[in-house]
Amino acid sequence: MLILNSSTKLLILEKMLKSHFPESLKVYGAVMNINRGNPFQKEVVLDSWPDFKAIITRRQKETETDNLDHYTNAYAVFYKDVNAYRQLLEEHGVINWDQVFQIQGLQSELYDVSKAVADSKQVNVKPASFKATCMPLISTADTSLLMNSSLRLTYLSVADVDLLNQTWSRGGNEQCRRYIANLISCFPSVCVRDDKGNPVSWSMMDQFATMCHGYTMPEHRRKGYNRLVVLALARKLHSRGFPCQGNIVDDNTTSINLAKSIDCDFLPCRFHRLILTPSAFSGQVHL
């Protein structure tokens, strides 16, 4: 195991990962954030340098975290050799198996290998799989639909955390609330607000540079606001050099149709998110 903490090497790694798109996108996004101030206190672990075969990004060891917070305790994975990934998983000190955490990646063997190692440690694995998308460069976002209205295009604030926690399908708990507050504080977001300053539609970026939690309040749907915030956030991310990647649940026809309408690429690989729970925390975790 090597921890890559040289700023020069991390910039080299960022460029190297580009040649392995789309499978390397999650690790690439995490590395980009590390190289741009590291607001989420991440680090890179790999098997060797520079000819690596497996990479895992994780929270820095010295960062205190809630053992039940699988939102923050998150690892991104990319490997050229699946056996090298297995060896990293099994190596002492790479993964904190004593807390609830998640693993994200875009490679098909991720679940089987992770589950085999987790089973040997009596850690439960809950898998989820999504369509993976990437958006082309956006030149502009048409805000004309907000003309002659009291609505305005802005960004999210930590004051919006309770609403976002309540409306996110993965939310409704204190760990998620704290995680969302951190995302808003650390990363770009876009929001449409009404005349009272309340959010009516929004999207934001997560620790892996993925667009997430796109949502429009029910009474404001079918008005084009979701499309507006997605395009505005994509333009903002592109202006900062980030790829505009997203994940869509297979039966979310509204999001799928929106992605098609703005010419998103549906990637040949799928996004996999695994939530791993040690037996000691069984029944205590919001999944």
Side-chain angles (χ1 to χ4, degrees):
M1 174 186 73
L2 296 174
I3 298 177
L4 202 66
N5 49 26
S6 161
S7 58
T8 300
K9 291 178 180 178
L10 284 165
L11 286 170
I12 293 171
L13 175 62
E14 182 181 318
K15 294 178 181 179
M16 293 169 71
L17 288 167
K18 278 189 172 182
S19 64
H20 298 286
F21 280 1
E23 289 84 358
S24 64
L25 269 170
K26 297 301 173 183
V27 168
Y28 178 76
V31 171
M32 283 195 75
N33 281 327
I34 291 172
N35 288 335
R36 287 152 183 78
N38 201 12
F40 235 71
Q41 298 173 289
K42 293 280 191 177
E43 63 185 10
V44 174
V45 177
L46 33 67
D47 62 322
S48 60
W49 178 262
D51 298 320
F52 65 86
K53 294 181 180 178
I55 299 177
I56 296 176
T57 66
R58 68 184 187 186
R59 290 276 282 183
Q60 294 172 339
K61 285 289 188 177
E62 60 270 22
T63 304
E64 292 186 9
T65 56
D66 178 350
N67 282 334
L68 295 177
D69 183 4
H70 62 81
Y71 307 93
T72 304
N73 305 330
Y75 301 76
V77 171
F78 170 69
Y79 51 82
K80 302 175 187 176
D81 181 340
V82 69
N83 291 321
Y85 169 55
R86 181 193 295 269
Q87 290 170 12
L88 269 186
L89 279 183
E90 293 173 337
E91 187 168 341
H92 177 73
V94 175
I95 302 290
N96 184 351
W97 294 95
D98 295 324
Q99 62 181 194
V100 186
F101 65 95
Q102 64 173 283
I103 296 176
Q104 295 193 9
L106 292 161
Q107 291 169 283
S108 58
E109 303 100 334
L110 187 66
Y111 170 68
D112 288 340
V113 173
S114 302
K115 188 175 188 307
V117 178
D119 285 349
S120 71
K121 299 178 180 294
Q122 296 184 316
V123 172
N124 179 67
V125 181
K126 180 182 179 181
S129 177
F130 306 80
K131 294 181 184 297
T133 64
C134 203
M135 196 179 303
L137 288 173
I138 303 297
S139 58
T140 186
D142 184 5
T143 59
S144 60
L145 66 111
L146 299 183
M147 293 178 63
N148 302 318
S149 79
S150 58
L151 300 176
R152 61 191 177 94
L153 189 67
T154 179
Y155 49 84
L156 291 167
S157 159
V158 290
D160 305 317
V161 165
D162 287 332
L163 176 62
L164 269 67
N165 188 27
Q166 294 164 9
T167 52
W168 202 1
S169 59
R170 299 176 56 203
N173 59 80
E174 181 55 32
Q175 287 82 13
C176 187
R177 184 184 186 280
R178 186 168 58 242
Y179 176 65
I180 291 172
N182 287 336
L183 293 184
I184 292 172
S185 299
C186 293
F187 303 123
S189 63
V190 169
C191 173
V192 172
R193 296 184 185 274
D194 64 17
D195 57 350
K196 297 180 180 178
N198 299 314
V200 302
S201 185
W202 60 83
S203 185
M204 58 186 181
M205 188 182 90
D206 73 5
Q207 58 188 307
F208 304 113
T210 304
M211 297 171 69
C212 69
H213 195 5
Y215 190 86
T216 300
M217 299 297 287
E219 62 271 26
H220 291 280
R221 291 175 183 170
R222 300 183 182 279
K223 298 178 182 179
Y225 301 147
N226 189 22
R227 179 188 180 92
L228 173 61
V229 297
V230 166
L231 291 175
L233 180 56
R235 188 165 181 263
K236 183 181 291 189
L237 297 184
H238 277 142
S239 71
R240 302 183 185 190
F242 286 96
C244 293
Q245 53 173 317
N247 313 312
I248 304 176
V249 179
D250 286 344
D251 60 359
N252 189 340
T253 55
T254 300
S255 293
I256 291 172
N257 289 336
L258 173 60
K260 290 178 178 178
S261 74
I262 56 180
D263 297 322
C264 279
D265 293 323
F266 286 81
L267 303 180
C269 50
R270 290 181 64 82
F271 166 60
H272 302 281
R273 184 187 70 228
L274 316 177
I275 299 178
L276 296 93
T277 307
S279 56
F281 296 119
S282 179
Q284 300 181 47
V285 185
H286 297 278
L287 301 179

